[in-house]
Amino acid sequence: MQLVAVEKALEALQPGQMVFVHSAAMTPTYLISAVVDSEVRDISFIHIHTEGDADYVLDENKDRFHTHACFVGANIRKQINANGNANYIPVFLSEIHQVLKHGNKKPDVALIKVSPPDAHGFCSLGVSVDVTLPALKSAKTVIAEISEHVPRVHGDGFIHVSDIDFGVESHREMYCLEPKELSPEEIQIGKNVADLVEDGSTLQMGIGGVPDAVLRALSGHKDLGIHTEMFSDGILPLVQSGVVNGFNKKIYPGKLVSAFSVGSQKLYDFLHDNPIVEFKEAAFTNDTAVIRKNPKVVAINSAIELDLTGQVCADSIGTYQFSGVGGQMDFIRGAALSEGGKPIIALSSTTRKGESKLAPFLKQGASVTTTRAHVHWIVTEYGAVDLFGQDLVQRAKLLTSIAHPGHREVLERATYERYRI
């Protein structure tokens, strides 16, 4: 590795290249800012969720850069939906490594953020291993932003200095996301989901109010395990109290297995040099053949809306691309195949505007993230219903029963008009 000024490192970027960007809390914001401020042109970026400023997608830079996003975050959402220089790739998180290994999305250069090397010359990829490892294997040139604030996380996320072409020192701190106060609806949803979780279960959960509410409601459980694509601060009290110990897991028993993490500095301090943590690439964590080997896998995912047949839209609002497919289907299927597993879609019954999220039909142009054949448990603040094995009429009635009371009459009428029952 050559330790150089950022301007020298960016000389490796050439027109026509595909450039991978490290994910989530590990987004190399110093390198990204330097690329935008440079004279570099005709570069294509590929990444999943990133944090921080993404000025490369701004209108003023649309003639210089193009972006292929496998997951859409708030920092690029407007530009993705403007049909300009940024576009979304629908792909399961478990299969993004194949996109990065083959075809015209194979990266020429990888921009990553790492810890300083240890005594043996190994740097840590920090809290995002996810799809970064396959990107590093494909890229001809690796440019690393090196920061002392990056935690050293156990697992597969290590890269030797000999595999880094250029290193650039940075003192930027980690992106932090503090837990938010839970709403009464989220607290009730958390309790309803927790009632479905048996002792000895293996959990997959995302980030946000509902997952945090579920984790808070699990304090009375025993011998839970974690095998997930990501987690946040909500697991910390359960680990510290011994509720989460991973005793019953078959895959890395006793370990917290994940592909990435986003949260507070407290979470990053917990992850630093912690031997109970095992970060793997998403091709492993999200492989249904791996997931199903753990007992009683409970997959807790969210949705934007559902129709009365059980179709789940979790990544768009009509034609408006809001997020991405991510790993929902990976874990919904993996949990369904796990012995005693429970795939769960948990959501509030209404939007902030008071519209029902349980609707006769998905909005025009909405994507189906989880099909009605894959869906099992649906949970709102008004209860939990299992759609698996239920016919279309039964599904409509069950979903209506957990809708907001103010919208049930409309759903009942829609059921009658469709099925004459």
Side-chain angles (χ1 to χ4, degrees):
M1 176 180 70
Q2 297 183 52
L3 196 61
V4 298
V6 66
E7 295 81 8
K8 177 65 176 178
L10 296 187
E11 291 178 3
L13 298 182
Q14 300 297 321
Q17 287 182 328
M18 182 70 63
V19 178
F20 172 82
V21 180
H22 205 167
S23 320
M26 299 307 302
T27 305
T29 54
Y30 179 62
L31 290 178
I32 292 297
S33 297
V35 171
V36 173
D37 292 340
S38 72
E39 299 298 320
V40 174
R41 303 183 62 86
D42 192 23
I43 292 294
S44 293
F45 293 103
I46 186 165
H47 54 69
I48 55 174
H49 181 99
T50 61
E51 295 291 353
D53 293 334
D55 291 346
Y56 51 89
V57 298
L58 298 179
D59 289 345
E60 63 202 62
N61 292 316
K62 66 181 181 180
D63 293 331
R64 297 177 59 199
F65 308 117
H66 189 81
T67 299
H68 307 278
C70 298
F71 197 92
V72 178
N75 58 350
I76 63 171
R77 191 171 292 138
K78 178 181 177 181
Q79 286 74 23
I80 287 286
N81 288 281
N83 294 322
N85 64 325
N87 287 284
Y88 167 64
I89 302 174
V91 59
F92 297 135
L93 184 57
S94 61
E95 296 182 344
I96 293 176
H97 68 287
Q98 297 182 21
V99 175
L100 298 172
K101 288 180 179 179
H102 309 290
N104 61 1
K105 302 300 188 299
K106 183 177 180 180
D108 301 290
V109 178
L111 303 181
I112 61 175
K113 185 170 183 174
V114 300
S115 71
D118 62 14
H120 306 287
F122 285 95
C123 301
S124 173
L125 294 173
V127 297
S128 280
V129 177
D130 43 62
V131 301
T132 305
L133 283 183
L136 292 174
K137 292 175 184 176
S138 295
K140 303 179 185 67
T141 303
V142 176
I143 303 174
E145 176 180 331
I146 303 171
S147 172
E148 70 274 18
H149 299 291
V150 174
R152 298 183 64 82
V153 180
H154 287 232
D156 293 343
F158 288 101
I159 178 172
H160 195 266
V161 290
S162 61
D163 294 318
I164 298 174
D165 296 283
F166 301 100
V168 176
E169 288 187 338
S170 165
H171 301 290
R172 294 195 179 187
E173 297 183 353
M174 296 279 292
Y175 170 83
C176 290
L177 183 66
E178 298 293 335
K180 296 181 179 180
E181 184 176 349
L182 300 178
S183 70
E185 292 80 11
E186 290 169 336
I187 292 172
Q188 187 58 52
I189 293 170
K191 292 178 180 178
N192 292 343
V193 172
D195 287 342
L196 300 175
V197 179
E198 301 176 49
D199 290 343
S201 295
T202 301
L203 305 180
Q204 175 262 333
M205 80 299 293
I207 189 172
V210 169
D212 283 350
V214 173
L215 292 168
R216 181 183 295 185
L218 291 173
S219 59
H221 282 63
K222 299 178 181 178
D223 298 333
L224 300 180
I226 301 292
H227 181 107
T228 185
E229 68 186 47
M230 70 90 60
F231 60 76
S232 192
D233 288 68
I235 71 161
L236 295 182
L238 297 180
V239 174
Q240 292 161 355
S241 67
V243 170
V244 168
N245 53 40
F247 286 169
N248 294 326
K249 290 172 58 186
K250 302 299 182 184
I251 305 297
Y252 288 98
K255 301 277 189 178
L256 304 175
V257 177
S258 186
F260 70 102
S261 187
V262 179
S264 68
Q265 187 60 49
K266 181 180 179 181
L267 176 67
Y268 302 147
D269 291 342
F270 167 80
L271 293 174
H272 177 67
D273 200 27
N274 191 333
I276 72 167
V277 174
E278 188 75 20
F279 271 37
K280 314 288 286 186
E281 62 178 286
F284 176 85
T285 60
N286 289 49
D287 185 344
T288 56
V290 173
I291 296 167
R292 69 182 297 180
K293 291 179 181 179
N294 284 315
K296 301 179 183 178
V297 173
V298 178
I300 306 162
N301 289 272
S302 62
I304 292 173
E305 63 173 340
L306 279 83
D307 72 10
L308 287 180
T309 73
Q311 293 188 119
V312 177
C313 173
D315 64 290
S316 74
I317 304 173
T319 59
Y320 186 86
Q321 191 62 47
F322 186 79
S323 55
V325 172
Q328 180 171 125
M329 268 299 301
D330 298 330
F331 275 93
I332 289 291
R333 191 60 181 152
L337 295 171
S338 164
E339 184 176 354
K342 292 177 182 175
I344 298 172
I345 300 292
L347 71 164
S348 58
S349 64
T350 59
T351 67
R352 293 179 181 176
K353 296 180 179 179
E355 299 174 352
S356 180
K357 292 185 180 180
L358 307 178
F361 305 98
L362 298 180
K363 291 182 176 60
Q364 184 175 359
S367 61
V368 175
T369 311
T370 295
T371 77
R372 58 190 183 180
H374 288 99
V375 76
H376 285 230
W377 285 94
I378 306 297
V379 179
T380 72
E381 68 270 32
Y382 293 102
V385 295
D386 187 2
L387 302 187
F388 185 70
Q390 305 287 3
D391 64 35
L392 295 178
V393 174
Q394 292 169 327
R395 286 167 175 243
K397 290 182 177 180
L398 287 169
L399 288 170
T400 298
S401 73
I402 60 169
H404 188 283
H407 292 284
R408 291 178 188 174
E409 183 178 348
V410 172
L411 298 176
E412 289 169 353
R413 188 182 309 120
T415 299
Y416 174 78
E417 291 174 352
R418 184 167 182 172
Y419 302 111
R420 295 300 170 187
I421 296 177

